PDB file of all heavy atoms in Angstrom:
ATOM      1  N   HIS A1199     -23.136  55.746 -14.238  1.00  0.00           N
ATOM      2  CA  HIS A1199     -23.702  55.227 -15.477  1.00  0.00           C
ATOM      3  C   HIS A1199     -23.912  53.723 -15.349  1.00  0.00           C
ATOM      4  O   HIS A1199     -23.248  53.054 -14.559  1.00  0.00           O
ATOM      5  CB  HIS A1199     -22.779  55.519 -16.669  1.00  0.00           C
ATOM      6  CG  HIS A1199     -22.402  56.950 -16.808  1.00  0.00           C
ATOM      7  ND1 HIS A1199     -23.222  57.888 -17.397  1.00  0.00           N
ATOM      8  CD2 HIS A1199     -21.269  57.630 -16.417  1.00  0.00           C
ATOM      9  CE1 HIS A1199     -22.628  59.078 -17.381  1.00  0.00           C
ATOM     10  NE2 HIS A1199     -21.436  58.945 -16.774  1.00  0.00           N
ATOM     11  N   SER A1200     -24.815  53.195 -16.147  1.00  0.00           N
ATOM     12  CA  SER A1200     -25.044  51.752 -16.204  1.00  0.00           C
ATOM     13  C   SER A1200     -25.383  51.368 -17.624  1.00  0.00           C
ATOM     14  O   SER A1200     -25.866  52.195 -18.409  1.00  0.00           O
ATOM     15  CB  SER A1200     -26.164  51.327 -15.246  1.00  0.00           C
ATOM     16  OG  SER A1200     -27.398  51.899 -15.632  1.00  0.00           O
ATOM     17  N   SER A1201     -25.164  50.095 -17.967  1.00  0.00           N
ATOM     18  CA  SER A1201     -25.414  49.648 -19.333  1.00  0.00           C
ATOM     19  C   SER A1201     -25.521  48.132 -19.361  1.00  0.00           C
ATOM     20  O   SER A1201     -24.944  47.434 -18.519  1.00  0.00           O
ATOM     21  CB  SER A1201     -24.280  50.106 -20.252  1.00  0.00           C
ATOM     22  OG  SER A1201     -24.445  49.580 -21.561  1.00  0.00           O
ATOM     23  N   GLN A1202     -26.260  47.624 -20.340  1.00  0.00           N
ATOM     24  CA  GLN A1202     -26.321  46.186 -20.589  1.00  0.00           C
ATOM     25  C   GLN A1202     -25.127  45.761 -21.443  1.00  0.00           C
ATOM     26  O   GLN A1202     -24.633  46.534 -22.267  1.00  0.00           O
ATOM     27  CB  GLN A1202     -27.625  45.796 -21.303  1.00  0.00           C
ATOM     28  CG  GLN A1202     -28.874  46.051 -20.475  1.00  0.00           C
ATOM     29  CD  GLN A1202     -28.919  45.183 -19.231  1.00  0.00           C
ATOM     30  OE1 GLN A1202     -28.760  43.981 -19.299  1.00  0.00           O
ATOM     31  NE2 GLN A1202     -29.128  45.829 -18.082  1.00  0.00           N
ATOM     32  N   VAL A1203     -24.676  44.531 -21.250  1.00  0.00           N
ATOM     33  CA  VAL A1203     -23.527  44.008 -21.988  1.00  0.00           C
ATOM     34  C   VAL A1203     -24.013  43.147 -23.137  1.00  0.00           C
ATOM     35  O   VAL A1203     -24.900  42.298 -22.956  1.00  0.00           O
ATOM     36  CB  VAL A1203     -22.609  43.190 -21.055  1.00  0.00           C
ATOM     37  CG1 VAL A1203     -21.422  42.639 -21.833  1.00  0.00           C
ATOM     38  CG2 VAL A1203     -22.118  44.069 -19.920  1.00  0.00           C
ATOM     39  N   GLY A1204     -23.424  43.354 -24.309  1.00  0.00           N
ATOM     40  CA  GLY A1204     -23.855  42.595 -25.476  1.00  0.00           C
ATOM     41  C   GLY A1204     -23.498  41.123 -25.406  1.00  0.00           C
ATOM     42  O   GLY A1204     -24.219  40.274 -25.913  1.00  0.00           O
ATOM     43  N   THR A1205     -22.380  40.822 -24.758  1.00  0.00           N
ATOM     44  CA  THR A1205     -21.915  39.434 -24.665  1.00  0.00           C
ATOM     45  C   THR A1205     -21.894  38.991 -23.213  1.00  0.00           C
ATOM     46  O   THR A1205     -21.257  39.636 -22.375  1.00  0.00           O
ATOM     47  CB  THR A1205     -20.507  39.281 -25.263  1.00  0.00           C
ATOM     48  OG1 THR A1205     -20.532  39.722 -26.621  1.00  0.00           O
ATOM     49  CG2 THR A1205     -20.043  37.829 -25.203  1.00  0.00           C
ATOM     50  N   VAL A1206     -22.578  37.902 -22.924  1.00  0.00           N
ATOM     51  CA  VAL A1206     -22.615  37.368 -21.558  1.00  0.00           C
ATOM     52  C   VAL A1206     -21.279  36.730 -21.211  1.00  0.00           C
ATOM     53  O   VAL A1206     -20.686  36.029 -22.038  1.00  0.00           O
ATOM     54  CB  VAL A1206     -23.754  36.340 -21.413  1.00  0.00           C
ATOM     55  CG1 VAL A1206     -23.741  35.725 -20.012  1.00  0.00           C
ATOM     56  CG2 VAL A1206     -25.100  36.990 -21.689  1.00  0.00           C
ATOM     57  N   GLY A1207     -20.811  36.990 -19.981  1.00  0.00           N
ATOM     58  CA  GLY A1207     -19.590  36.336 -19.518  1.00  0.00           C
ATOM     59  C   GLY A1207     -18.321  37.032 -19.945  1.00  0.00           C
ATOM     60  O   GLY A1207     -17.289  36.377 -20.087  1.00  0.00           O
ATOM     61  N   SER A1208     -18.331  38.354 -20.180  1.00  0.00           N
ATOM     62  CA  SER A1208     -17.132  39.088 -20.575  1.00  0.00           C
ATOM     63  C   SER A1208     -16.263  39.401 -19.362  1.00  0.00           C
ATOM     64  O   SER A1208     -16.741  39.474 -18.223  1.00  0.00           O
ATOM     65  CB  SER A1208     -17.516  40.403 -21.277  1.00  0.00           C
ATOM     66  OG  SER A1208     -18.246  40.149 -22.465  1.00  0.00           O
ATOM     67  N   ARG A1209     -14.964  39.591 -19.627  1.00  0.00           N
ATOM     68  CA  ARG A1209     -14.029  40.080 -18.615  1.00  0.00           C
ATOM     69  C   ARG A1209     -13.524  41.446 -19.065  1.00  0.00           C
ATOM     70  O   ARG A1209     -13.258  41.667 -20.246  1.00  0.00           O
ATOM     71  CB  ARG A1209     -12.844  39.119 -18.446  1.00  0.00           C
ATOM     72  CG  ARG A1209     -13.218  37.750 -17.965  1.00  0.00           C
ATOM     73  CD  ARG A1209     -13.785  37.748 -16.571  1.00  0.00           C
ATOM     74  NE  ARG A1209     -12.806  38.134 -15.560  1.00  0.00           N
ATOM     75  CZ  ARG A1209     -13.079  38.224 -14.266  1.00  0.00           C
ATOM     76  NH1 ARG A1209     -14.299  37.995 -13.833  1.00  0.00           N
ATOM     77  NH2 ARG A1209     -12.136  38.572 -13.430  1.00  0.00           N
ATOM     78  N   TRP A1210     -13.365  42.375 -18.054  1.00  0.00           N
ATOM     79  CA  TRP A1210     -13.053  43.756 -18.371  1.00  0.00           C
ATOM     80  C   TRP A1210     -11.669  44.116 -17.879  1.00  0.00           C
ATOM     81  O   TRP A1210     -11.188  43.609 -16.864  1.00  0.00           O
ATOM     82  CB  TRP A1210     -14.093  44.677 -17.732  1.00  0.00           C
ATOM     83  CG  TRP A1210     -15.465  44.470 -18.329  1.00  0.00           C
ATOM     84  CD1 TRP A1210     -16.381  43.537 -17.967  1.00  0.00           C
ATOM     85  CD2 TRP A1210     -16.029  45.201 -19.406  1.00  0.00           C
ATOM     86  NE1 TRP A1210     -17.503  43.621 -18.747  1.00  0.00           N
ATOM     87  CE2 TRP A1210     -17.318  44.654 -19.659  1.00  0.00           C
ATOM     88  CE3 TRP A1210     -15.589  46.267 -20.216  1.00  0.00           C
ATOM     89  CZ2 TRP A1210     -18.168  45.127 -20.641  1.00  0.00           C
ATOM     90  CZ3 TRP A1210     -16.447  46.755 -21.197  1.00  0.00           C
ATOM     91  CH2 TRP A1210     -17.714  46.191 -21.422  1.00  0.00           C
ATOM     92  N   LEU A1211     -11.017  45.041 -18.613  1.00  0.00           N
ATOM     93  CA  LEU A1211      -9.717  45.563 -18.211  1.00  0.00           C
ATOM     94  C   LEU A1211      -9.557  46.976 -18.747  1.00  0.00           C
ATOM     95  O   LEU A1211     -10.247  47.383 -19.698  1.00  0.00           O
ATOM     96  CB  LEU A1211      -8.586  44.673 -18.718  1.00  0.00           C
ATOM     97  CG  LEU A1211      -8.263  44.688 -20.220  1.00  0.00           C
ATOM     98  CD1 LEU A1211      -6.834  44.209 -20.446  1.00  0.00           C
ATOM     99  CD2 LEU A1211      -9.225  43.789 -20.996  1.00  0.00           C
ATOM    100  N   VAL A1212      -8.671  47.751 -18.105  1.00  0.00           N
ATOM    101  CA  VAL A1212      -8.365  49.096 -18.589  1.00  0.00           C
ATOM    102  C   VAL A1212      -7.552  48.978 -19.878  1.00  0.00           C
ATOM    103  O   VAL A1212      -6.649  48.138 -19.981  1.00  0.00           O
ATOM    104  CB  VAL A1212      -7.569  49.888 -17.523  1.00  0.00           C
ATOM    105  CG1 VAL A1212      -7.183  51.267 -18.051  1.00  0.00           C
ATOM    106  CG2 VAL A1212      -8.386  50.013 -16.247  1.00  0.00           C
ATOM    107  N   HIS A1213      -7.884  49.806 -20.863  1.00  0.00           N
ATOM    108  CA  HIS A1213      -7.169  49.772 -22.138  1.00  0.00           C
ATOM    109  C   HIS A1213      -5.684  49.974 -21.863  1.00  0.00           C
ATOM    110  O   HIS A1213      -5.280  50.969 -21.245  1.00  0.00           O
ATOM    111  CB  HIS A1213      -7.684  50.868 -23.070  1.00  0.00           C
ATOM    112  CG  HIS A1213      -7.293  50.680 -24.501  1.00  0.00           C
ATOM    113  ND1 HIS A1213      -5.977  50.705 -24.939  1.00  0.00           N
ATOM    114  CD2 HIS A1213      -8.048  50.451 -25.630  1.00  0.00           C
ATOM    115  CE1 HIS A1213      -5.923  50.499 -26.220  1.00  0.00           C
ATOM    116  NE2 HIS A1213      -7.184  50.346 -26.687  1.00  0.00           N
ATOM    117  N   PRO A1214      -4.809  49.038 -22.284  1.00  0.00           N
ATOM    118  CA  PRO A1214      -3.387  49.134 -21.937  1.00  0.00           C
ATOM    119  C   PRO A1214      -2.683  50.362 -22.522  1.00  0.00           C
ATOM    120  O   PRO A1214      -1.639  50.769 -22.014  1.00  0.00           O
ATOM    121  CB  PRO A1214      -2.800  47.833 -22.490  1.00  0.00           C
ATOM    122  CG  PRO A1214      -3.761  47.370 -23.517  1.00  0.00           C
ATOM    123  CD  PRO A1214      -5.109  47.830 -23.073  1.00  0.00           C
ATOM    124  N   GLN A1215      -3.268  50.988 -23.594  1.00  0.00           N
ATOM    125  CA  GLN A1215      -2.628  52.137 -24.228  1.00  0.00           C
ATOM    126  C   GLN A1215      -3.393  53.444 -24.018  1.00  0.00           C
ATOM    127  O   GLN A1215      -2.872  54.529 -24.331  1.00  0.00           O
ATOM    128  CB  GLN A1215      -2.461  51.869 -25.733  1.00  0.00           C
ATOM    129  CG  GLN A1215      -1.580  50.657 -26.028  1.00  0.00           C
ATOM    130  CD  GLN A1215      -1.511  50.340 -27.507  1.00  0.00           C
ATOM    131  OE1 GLN A1215      -2.174  50.990 -28.326  1.00  0.00           O
ATOM    132  NE2 GLN A1215      -0.707  49.350 -27.878  1.00  0.00           N
ATOM    133  N   ASP A1216      -4.612  53.350 -23.474  1.00  0.00           N
ATOM    134  CA  ASP A1216      -5.417  54.555 -23.237  1.00  0.00           C
ATOM    135  C   ASP A1216      -6.257  54.342 -21.992  1.00  0.00           C
ATOM    136  O   ASP A1216      -7.315  53.709 -22.046  1.00  0.00           O
ATOM    137  CB  ASP A1216      -6.319  54.830 -24.442  1.00  0.00           C
ATOM    138  CG  ASP A1216      -7.072  56.148 -24.304  1.00  0.00           C
ATOM    139  OD1 ASP A1216      -6.949  56.804 -23.241  1.00  0.00           O
ATOM    140  OD2 ASP A1216      -7.773  56.528 -25.256  1.00  0.00           O
ATOM    141  N   PRO A1217      -5.817  54.814 -20.802  1.00  0.00           N
ATOM    142  CA  PRO A1217      -6.550  54.582 -19.549  1.00  0.00           C
ATOM    143  C   PRO A1217      -7.933  55.208 -19.515  1.00  0.00           C
ATOM    144  O   PRO A1217      -8.699  54.929 -18.593  1.00  0.00           O
ATOM    145  CB  PRO A1217      -5.629  55.203 -18.495  1.00  0.00           C
ATOM    146  CG  PRO A1217      -4.763  56.163 -19.232  1.00  0.00           C
ATOM    147  CD  PRO A1217      -4.596  55.611 -20.603  1.00  0.00           C
ATOM    148  N   ALA A1218      -8.286  56.024 -20.515  1.00  0.00           N
ATOM    149  CA  ALA A1218      -9.624  56.613 -20.556  1.00  0.00           C
ATOM    150  C   ALA A1218     -10.644  55.622 -21.101  1.00  0.00           C
ATOM    151  O   ALA A1218     -11.849  55.883 -21.082  1.00  0.00           O
ATOM    152  CB  ALA A1218      -9.616  57.885 -21.410  1.00  0.00           C
ATOM    153  N   LEU A1219     -10.173  54.489 -21.574  1.00  0.00           N
ATOM    154  CA  LEU A1219     -11.061  53.488 -22.167  1.00  0.00           C
ATOM    155  C   LEU A1219     -10.994  52.181 -21.380  1.00  0.00           C
ATOM    156  O   LEU A1219     -10.000  51.874 -20.710  1.00  0.00           O
ATOM    157  CB  LEU A1219     -10.669  53.214 -23.622  1.00  0.00           C
ATOM    158  CG  LEU A1219     -10.693  54.407 -24.590  1.00  0.00           C
ATOM    159  CD1 LEU A1219     -10.185  53.974 -25.962  1.00  0.00           C
ATOM    160  CD2 LEU A1219     -12.096  55.003 -24.678  1.00  0.00           C
ATOM    161  N   ILE A1220     -12.056  51.405 -21.489  1.00  0.00           N
ATOM    162  CA  ILE A1220     -12.104  50.058 -20.916  1.00  0.00           C
ATOM    163  C   ILE A1220     -12.461  49.078 -22.029  1.00  0.00           C
ATOM    164  O   ILE A1220     -13.145  49.439 -22.991  1.00  0.00           O
ATOM    165  CB  ILE A1220     -13.103  49.947 -19.752  1.00  0.00           C
ATOM    166  CG1 ILE A1220     -14.503  50.417 -20.180  1.00  0.00           C
ATOM    167  CG2 ILE A1220     -12.601  50.708 -18.530  1.00  0.00           C
ATOM    168  CD1 ILE A1220     -15.569  50.252 -19.109  1.00  0.00           C
ATOM    169  N   ILE A1221     -11.997  47.857 -21.895  1.00  0.00           N
ATOM    170  CA  ILE A1221     -12.230  46.845 -22.927  1.00  0.00           C
ATOM    171  C   ILE A1221     -12.956  45.661 -22.300  1.00  0.00           C
ATOM    172  O   ILE A1221     -12.544  45.132 -21.258  1.00  0.00           O
ATOM    173  CB  ILE A1221     -10.902  46.352 -23.547  1.00  0.00           C
ATOM    174  CG1 ILE A1221     -10.111  47.526 -24.126  1.00  0.00           C
ATOM    175  CG2 ILE A1221     -11.156  45.297 -24.613  1.00  0.00           C
ATOM    176  CD1 ILE A1221      -8.752  47.118 -24.671  1.00  0.00           C
ATOM    177  N   GLY A1222     -14.013  45.202 -22.929  1.00  0.00           N
ATOM    178  CA  GLY A1222     -14.741  44.006 -22.529  1.00  0.00           C
ATOM    179  C   GLY A1222     -14.414  42.871 -23.483  1.00  0.00           C
ATOM    180  O   GLY A1222     -14.710  42.961 -24.678  1.00  0.00           O
ATOM    181  N   ILE A1223     -13.783  41.821 -22.979  1.00  0.00           N
ATOM    182  CA  ILE A1223     -13.376  40.681 -23.810  1.00  0.00           C
ATOM    183  C   ILE A1223     -14.418  39.581 -23.657  1.00  0.00           C
ATOM    184  O   ILE A1223     -14.580  38.996 -22.579  1.00  0.00           O
ATOM    185  CB  ILE A1223     -11.994  40.144 -23.406  1.00  0.00           C
ATOM    186  CG1 ILE A1223     -10.963  41.269 -23.324  1.00  0.00           C
ATOM    187  CG2 ILE A1223     -11.548  39.038 -24.345  1.00  0.00           C
ATOM    188  CD1 ILE A1223     -10.603  41.861 -24.652  1.00  0.00           C
ATOM    189  N   GLY A1224     -15.147  39.313 -24.747  1.00  0.00           N
ATOM    190  CA  GLY A1224     -16.115  38.234 -24.739  1.00  0.00           C
ATOM    191  C   GLY A1224     -15.551  36.992 -25.411  1.00  0.00           C
ATOM    192  O   GLY A1224     -14.389  36.956 -25.815  1.00  0.00           O
ATOM    193  N   THR A1225     -16.388  35.988 -25.539  1.00  0.00           N
ATOM    194  CA  THR A1225     -15.908  34.751 -26.156  1.00  0.00           C
ATOM    195  C   THR A1225     -15.749  34.896 -27.666  1.00  0.00           C
ATOM    196  O   THR A1225     -14.882  34.271 -28.266  1.00  0.00           O
ATOM    197  CB  THR A1225     -16.879  33.594 -25.847  1.00  0.00           C
ATOM    198  OG1 THR A1225     -18.203  33.974 -26.264  1.00  0.00           O
ATOM    199  CG2 THR A1225     -16.869  33.263 -24.360  1.00  0.00           C
ATOM    200  N   HIS A1226     -16.604  35.755 -28.285  1.00  0.00           N
ATOM    201  CA  HIS A1226     -16.552  35.876 -29.740  1.00  0.00           C
ATOM    202  C   HIS A1226     -16.395  37.326 -30.209  1.00  0.00           C
ATOM    203  O   HIS A1226     -16.290  37.576 -31.409  1.00  0.00           O
ATOM    204  CB  HIS A1226     -17.823  35.299 -30.377  1.00  0.00           C
ATOM    205  CG  HIS A1226     -18.025  33.845 -30.081  1.00  0.00           C
ATOM    206  ND1 HIS A1226     -18.746  33.399 -28.998  1.00  0.00           N
ATOM    207  CD2 HIS A1226     -17.568  32.735 -30.722  1.00  0.00           C
ATOM    208  CE1 HIS A1226     -18.743  32.071 -28.978  1.00  0.00           C
ATOM    209  NE2 HIS A1226     -18.038  31.643 -30.012  1.00  0.00           N
ATOM    210  N   ASP A1227     -16.423  38.303 -29.271  1.00  0.00           N
ATOM    211  CA  ASP A1227     -16.295  39.704 -29.680  1.00  0.00           C
ATOM    212  C   ASP A1227     -15.639  40.531 -28.590  1.00  0.00           C
ATOM    213  O   ASP A1227     -15.458  40.072 -27.450  1.00  0.00           O
ATOM    214  CB  ASP A1227     -17.668  40.288 -30.055  1.00  0.00           C
ATOM    215  CG  ASP A1227     -18.731  40.014 -29.001  1.00  0.00           C
ATOM    216  OD1 ASP A1227     -18.353  39.764 -27.832  1.00  0.00           O
ATOM    217  OD2 ASP A1227     -19.918  40.032 -29.330  1.00  0.00           O
ATOM    218  N   ILE A1228     -15.281  41.771 -28.948  1.00  0.00           N
ATOM    219  CA  ILE A1228     -14.634  42.720 -28.050  1.00  0.00           C
ATOM    220  C   ILE A1228     -15.381  44.046 -28.140  1.00  0.00           C
ATOM    221  O   ILE A1228     -15.729  44.511 -29.242  1.00  0.00           O
ATOM    222  CB  ILE A1228     -13.159  42.930 -28.434  1.00  0.00           C
ATOM    223  CG1 ILE A1228     -12.370  41.625 -28.273  1.00  0.00           C
ATOM    224  CG2 ILE A1228     -12.517  44.028 -27.582  1.00  0.00           C
ATOM    225  CD1 ILE A1228     -10.928  41.735 -28.746  1.00  0.00           C
ATOM    226  N   HIS A1229     -15.626  44.659 -26.949  1.00  0.00           N
ATOM    227  CA  HIS A1229     -16.276  45.973 -26.898  1.00  0.00           C
ATOM    228  C   HIS A1229     -15.332  46.954 -26.217  1.00  0.00           C
ATOM    229  O   HIS A1229     -14.808  46.659 -25.135  1.00  0.00           O
ATOM    230  CB  HIS A1229     -17.594  45.907 -26.134  1.00  0.00           C
ATOM    231  CG  HIS A1229     -18.576  44.927 -26.709  1.00  0.00           C
ATOM    232  ND1 HIS A1229     -19.309  45.174 -27.843  1.00  0.00           N
ATOM    233  CD2 HIS A1229     -18.924  43.676 -26.307  1.00  0.00           C
ATOM    234  CE1 HIS A1229     -20.074  44.127 -28.118  1.00  0.00           C
ATOM    235  NE2 HIS A1229     -19.864  43.193 -27.199  1.00  0.00           N
TER     236      HIS A1229
END
Side-chain angles (χ1 to χ4, degrees):
H1199 307 279
S1200 64
S1201 175
Q1202 296 295 309
V1203 180
T1205 302
V1206 177
S1208 298
R1209 298 295 294 179
W1210 295 85
L1211 72 158
V1212 177
H1213 196 296
Q1215 299 176 357
D1216 186 356
L1219 301 176
I1220 55 176
I1221 303 176
I1223 309 291
T1225 55
H1226 299 91
D1227 49 22
I1228 296 175
H1229 302 284

